[in-house]
């Protein structure tokens, strides 16, 4: 079982009849293994398990990032001038839910802000602030996921190894045929009987 960072929050759902029902939602992310490098097989296996459960999360909970809002640019008429729909999500690179082995890679991404040692992801795709929040959290999830994936290596299956062996064998036989053909052309040119 993987430990999770959990947050309980209350959301009010208002029905058309005017009554309010409270619903408790738990947002959780898996805690990554505390290893700086993935040189051992055990570390690789732990990282793979973490990556699978992190991928299932699909997004990052709002409480783990700092959200700021501002006015968006571009088309949109009065909505752009009046409503703060642009969302910027900021998270420190050394946060507990970001794996240690991916932190150095994250500092080389265009989303890294050196002065605050954090990742900054913005979204102004939609006219809706809620959609932009979801979009920026999804982008942050994808950035961390890509950085973590780069260091995890998968062993090839027996089927993949067999396919590679067959491709190498076919390549070698084609190469041998071309060499033999070229050799025959050179022999034919040199043995014309001109020296007789």
């Amino acid at each position: 079982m993987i430990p999770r960072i959990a947050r309980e929050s209350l959301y009010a759902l208002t029905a058309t009849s005017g009554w309010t029902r409270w619903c408790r939602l738990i947002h959780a992310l898996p805690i990554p293994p505390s290893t700086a490098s993935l040189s051992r097989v055990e570390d690789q296996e732990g990282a793979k398990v973490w990556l699978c459960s992190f991928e299932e999360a699909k997004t990052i909970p709002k409480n783990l990032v700092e959200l700021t809002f501002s006015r968006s640019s571009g088309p949109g008429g009065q909505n752009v001038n009046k409503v703060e729909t642009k969302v910027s999500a900021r998270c420190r690179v050394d946060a507990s839910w970001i794996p240690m082995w991916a932190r150095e890679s994250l500092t080389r991404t265009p989303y890294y802000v050196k002065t605050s040692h954090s990742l900054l992801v913005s979204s102004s795709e939609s006219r809706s602030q809620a959609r932009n929040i979801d979009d920026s959290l999804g982008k942050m999830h994808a950035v961390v996921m890509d950085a973590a994936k780069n260091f995890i290596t998968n062993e090839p299956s027996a089927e993949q190894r067999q396919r590679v062996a067959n491709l190498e064998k076919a390549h070698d036989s084609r190469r041998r045929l071309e060499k033999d053909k070229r050799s025959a052309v050179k022999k034919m040119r040199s043995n014309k009987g001109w020296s007789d």
Side-chain angles (χ1 to χ4, degrees):
M1 187 70 183
I2 296 176
R4 295 186 175 271
I5 301 169
R7 177 189 76 143
E8 293 185 14
S9 56
L10 296 174
Y11 289 94
L13 300 174
T14 307
T16 55
S17 60
W19 56 272
T20 303
R21 190 177 101 202
W22 294 92
C23 177
R24 189 170 294 240
L25 299 175
I26 298 175
H27 299 283
L29 278 182
I31 297 175
S34 58
T35 180
S37 68
L38 300 176
S39 56
R40 297 183 321 180
V41 175
E42 302 86 34
D43 296 338
Q44 284 278 334
E45 290 304 316
K48 286 177 189 176
V49 170
W50 173 85
L51 190 65
C52 287
S53 57
F54 186 73
E55 192 170 13
E56 288 172 4
K58 303 260 190 257
T59 188
I60 296 170
K62 293 178 196 175
N63 69 317
L64 299 179
V65 297
E66 176 189 333
L67 296 174
T68 55
F69 307 96
S70 61
R71 292 189 180 140
S72 181
S73 62
Q78 274 189 326
N79 190 60
V80 171
N81 299 331
K82 293 170 67 177
V83 183
E84 295 185 342
T85 56
K86 181 180 177 182
V87 177
S88 297
R90 182 184 300 267
C91 176
R92 291 198 44 89
V93 173
D94 55 1
S96 62
W97 59 272
I98 296 178
M100 284 197 227
W101 69 84
R103 291 177 184 175
E104 185 181 334
S105 177
L106 287 171
T107 60
R108 291 190 299 267
T109 64
Y111 301 105
Y112 178 68
V113 179
K114 189 173 183 177
T115 56
S116 61
H117 191 59
S118 62
L119 295 174
L120 179 67
V121 179
S122 300
S123 177
S124 59
E125 297 295 319
S126 172
R127 287 172 50 122
S128 165
Q129 189 182 72
R131 286 188 194 145
N132 286 336
I133 289 172
D134 292 341
D135 187 44
S136 64
L137 294 176
K139 284 180 184 178
M140 178 87 69
H141 182 268
V143 167
V144 172
M145 182 103 143
D146 289 343
K149 262 186 196 177
N150 289 341
F151 294 97
I152 298 175
T153 57
N154 292 325
E155 290 295 318
S157 65
E159 182 180 302
Q160 288 173 330
R161 280 193 221 111
Q162 182 64 37
R163 182 170 182 266
V164 168
N166 290 342
L167 289 172
E168 286 176 348
K169 193 175 183 181
H171 174 71
D172 288 343
S173 66
R174 276 194 308 270
R175 186 177 140 272
R176 186 77 243 161
L177 282 172
E178 283 189 30
K179 284 178 74 91
D180 289 344
K181 187 177 178 182
R182 186 73 184 145
S183 176
V185 167
K186 286 184 175 184
K187 277 184 183 176
M188 195 168 41
R189 284 182 189 159
S190 63
N191 293 337
K192 289 284 186 181
W194 299 41
S195 59
D196 295 340

